[in-house]
Amino acid sequence: MQGRVAVITGASSGIGAATARLLAAEGAAVALLARRAERLEALALELEEYGAKVVAIQADVTDPAAVAAAGEQVASELGRVDLLVNNAGVMLLSPFEADLVDEWERMIDVNFTAVLHTTRVFLPALRDGGGDVVNISSVAGRVVFERSAVYNGTKHAVGAWSEALRKELAGTGVRVGLIEPGVVATELTTHFSHDETKAVYAERYDGVERLEASDVADAVLFMVSRPPRAAINEILLRPSAQKP
Amino acid sequence: MNLDLSGRVAVITGASSGIGAATARRLAEHGAAVVLLARRGDRIQSLQQELADAGHSALAIEADVTDAASLNRAVVGARELGRVDLLVNNAGVMLLSRFDEAHVAEWKQMIDVNVTGVLLTTNAFLDDLTDGGGDIVNISSVAGRMTAPNTSVYNATKWGVVGWSDALRQELIAKDVRVGLIEPGAVETELAGHITSEVARQRFHERFDGMAILQAGDIADAVLYMASRPPHAAVNEILVRPAKQP
């Protein structure tokens, strides 16, 4: 990863932070995007102590103007982009008939629309010299669950969009890959507002040792460190004990 | 990222060439003892010698994955290196043709090797694998995910592997055996050289001639990555194509 510049969204915690740590440890310069500035600054300081080049950018990926400004800042401070990790996402599970319309819209905005805008901003820089777009989707992009209708919808959308983009960009030097993790020990599951679903979810994965964020970071590293001829299009990974 | 396989014993089918041979080399380089299975005894014996000369533990056993008796002999032979805890079901054939060409013998051969052979091999080594846990890595194909003309029966065999593999994955969770699928696109191996249908061979060449396609070592890297994950993490599926293959 020496000499490569990686942009990571949702970098303040979980998979995003773990990916930033791993790519920086492997020699990449990293641009960290997230809303929570304090967390970003703390992570940037930690990585700089190890000698990594880091740019922390407070940005809400659902705000196209903020993402565009982040693109300009990355261009001016790091000069290039070789790798975009679309990681920011939310999982607000509930039965469809609970009518949590605000949460549906939030998931569509963060999990799908923001991925389009972020990719649009960084794609010209990626095409200029080649690179990788890594989209962090979910098992929910492959397997459908109760109480997950809209989350499933957003992750299926990411999967379909990602695959079409991969085909459009095949041969341009830009590889597009999808990573679909099962249950990971992150904040993702703590944001449900629907209490009954919280309990059902906890019961569904009771006794399952969850993936660590670093397991997903390893998948990102494996994907992006392939030689130019080889494109890892998709990695599906679950806790060893997770069935569906 | 830790890619160490020290102490593991891996069985690789179709180890005489291509992805199988590359995987044997890669796993051995990372510390695994490797058992090489194939029909072509001379080929796997020379690979065994090559690996032994490099200081690795390797054993060549002539076996046909469509012949249960030869697999049972391989199970007994493999135990010389220890309990098998990693099985790479790699042996496969791709005899593409238009369906209406009615290459019935080739259909049967693909079903025998690509599906029945995988079931028989897994069945043979299952006692070893479940006696303490391990990994089964099934080498399928992009053809297990999408269809194309001239590929109907090959598609069917790879679809079969995908369905069986994911059901087995769920069944073997209780036995600490992880079951994963690797689905490569076009790889530089002997595979396409065996196509007898003129129309299918021509289309294959039109699609891939001049393209920088995958090397067998690229798939070996995926097997290594899959098998070396910590016990709580299972890489269920890796889809890999040449970067230029749409």
Side-chain angles (χ1 to χ4, degrees):
Chain A
M1 298 304 298
Q2 290 292 342
R4 296 181 76 178
V5 173
V7 175
I8 301 153
T9 70
S12 57
S13 68
I15 294 169
T19 300
R21 286 191 178 95
L22 183 60
L23 297 180
E26 295 286 325
V30 290
L32 312 175
L33 272 63
R35 285 170 305 155
R36 293 178 292 187
E38 280 178 22
R39 295 260 208 139
L40 277 185
E41 291 303 335
L43 179 59
L45 277 176
E46 176 197 324
L47 298 181
E48 279 164 355
E49 276 179 27
Y50 295 104
K53 184 149 180 57
V54 186
V55 178
I57 303 172
Q58 183 182 16
D60 180 341
V61 289
T62 65
D63 174 0
V67 178
E72 285 169 22
Q73 190 177 341
V74 170
S76 70
E77 295 190 31
L78 297 173
R80 55 183 290 160
V81 177
D82 304 286
L83 166 57
L84 170 63
V85 184
N86 282 313
N87 164 69
V90 288
M91 180 175 75
L92 306 168
L93 303 185
S94 62
F96 186 70
E97 287 185 295
D99 279 340
L100 299 181
V101 178
D102 291 348
E103 293 193 350
W104 303 347
E105 288 178 351
R106 179 85 191 132
M107 284 193 284
I108 295 165
D109 287 348
V110 177
N111 296 0
F112 188 51
T113 313
V115 172
L116 309 188
H117 284 294
T118 309
T119 304
R120 173 179 172 271
V121 164
F122 290 101
L123 199 49
L126 287 161
R127 288 200 65 149
D128 184 16
D132 287 282
V133 179
V134 178
N135 296 310
I136 308 294
S137 177
S138 165
V139 163
R142 297 283 298 274
V143 181
V144 170
F145 300 89
E146 289 171 35
R147 299 171 186 269
S148 180
V150 179
Y151 184 65
N152 275 135
T154 62
K155 292 303 189 179
H156 275 68
V158 167
W161 164 80
S162 178
E163 175 65 2
L165 185 67
R166 182 191 70 74
K167 291 185 180 189
E168 289 184 17
L169 296 179
T172 67
V174 179
R175 303 181 293 197
V176 181
L178 200 55
I179 296 180
E180 301 161 319
V183 190
V184 187
T186 69
E187 293 175 6
L188 199 70
T189 57
T190 65
H191 299 146
F192 302 178
S193 68
H194 195 264
D195 286 330
E196 186 192 280
T197 298
K198 221 181 276 186
V200 169
Y201 189 88
E203 198 178 328
R204 185 189 291 163
Y205 299 113
D206 185 38
V208 172
E209 187 186 346
R210 285 157 168 65
L211 294 172
E212 296 295 329
S214 61
D215 295 320
V216 184
D218 283 343
V220 175
L221 177 62
F222 175 71
M223 183 175 272
V224 303
S225 57
R226 296 308 89 208
R229 66 172 177 270
I232 304 289
N233 303 147
E234 198 169 345
I235 298 177
L236 174 68
L237 74 164
R238 290 181 177 88
S240 297
Q242 182 183 344
K243 270 184 196 165
Chain B
M1 185 163 26
N2 184 356
L3 299 172
D4 185 39
L5 294 178
S6 296
R8 308 277 305 261
V9 177
V11 168
I12 301 124
T13 68
S16 55
S17 67
I19 294 171
T23 298
R25 291 189 178 97
R26 188 73 86 255
L27 300 184
E29 286 160 12
H30 286 80
V34 293
V35 183
L36 315 171
L37 267 56
R39 284 169 306 160
R40 293 178 290 188
D42 52 338
R43 292 262 208 134
I44 50 177
Q45 272 148 27
S46 74
L47 180 56
Q48 174 191 347
Q49 191 61 52
E50 174 198 320
L51 293 171
D53 289 347
H56 304 308
S57 179
L59 181 63
I61 304 177
E62 199 174 307
D64 180 341
V65 295
T66 65
D67 173 3
S70 83
L71 288 167
N72 290 335
R73 286 193 296 275
V75 168
V76 174
R79 289 185 183 140
E80 188 184 309
L81 297 186
R83 179 183 74 87
V84 171
D85 63 0
L86 169 55
L87 170 63
V88 183
N89 282 313
N90 164 70
V93 288
M94 180 180 76
L95 305 167
L96 305 184
S97 61
R98 243 181 23 219
F99 187 73
D100 63 9
E101 293 181 279
H103 288 200
V104 179
E106 292 186 348
W107 302 346
K108 190 168 179 317
Q109 193 186 347
M110 284 194 285
I111 294 166
D112 285 349
V113 176
N114 298 1
V115 184
T116 312
V118 171
L119 308 188
L120 292 177
T121 310
T122 303
N123 176 57
F125 286 98
L126 202 54
D127 285 347
D128 277 50
L129 286 159
T130 56
D131 181 23
D135 285 283
I136 299 170
V137 178
N138 296 310
I139 308 294
S140 178
S141 165
V142 164
R145 296 284 299 273
M146 54 189 303
T147 55
N150 306 328
T151 310
S152 61
V153 180
Y154 186 63
N155 276 138
T157 63
K158 292 303 187 180
W159 238 264
V161 168
V162 169
W164 164 79
S165 179
D166 201 58
L168 186 69
R169 177 185 70 75
Q170 297 176 59
E171 290 184 14
L172 293 183
I173 283 175
K175 306 277 191 173
D176 293 326
V177 176
R178 302 181 293 198
V179 181
L181 270 168
I182 297 178
E183 301 162 320
V187 186
E188 189 78 55
T189 68
E190 294 178 5
L191 201 65
H194 300 143
I195 299 171
T196 63
S197 159
E198 197 53 52
V199 58
R201 191 164 48 208
Q202 198 177 330
R203 185 182 145 82
F204 191 88
H205 284 298
E206 278 166 14
R207 283 183 74 191
F208 297 113
D209 279 2
M211 185 188 288
I213 62 174
L214 297 170
Q215 298 297 310
D218 297 328
I219 313 309
D221 286 339
V223 176
L224 172 64
Y225 163 70
M226 186 176 270
S228 60
R229 294 310 82 213
H232 68 273
V235 173
N236 306 140
E237 198 169 343
I238 298 176
L239 177 67
V240 49
R241 285 182 180 87
K244 292 188 174 173
Q245 182 181 344

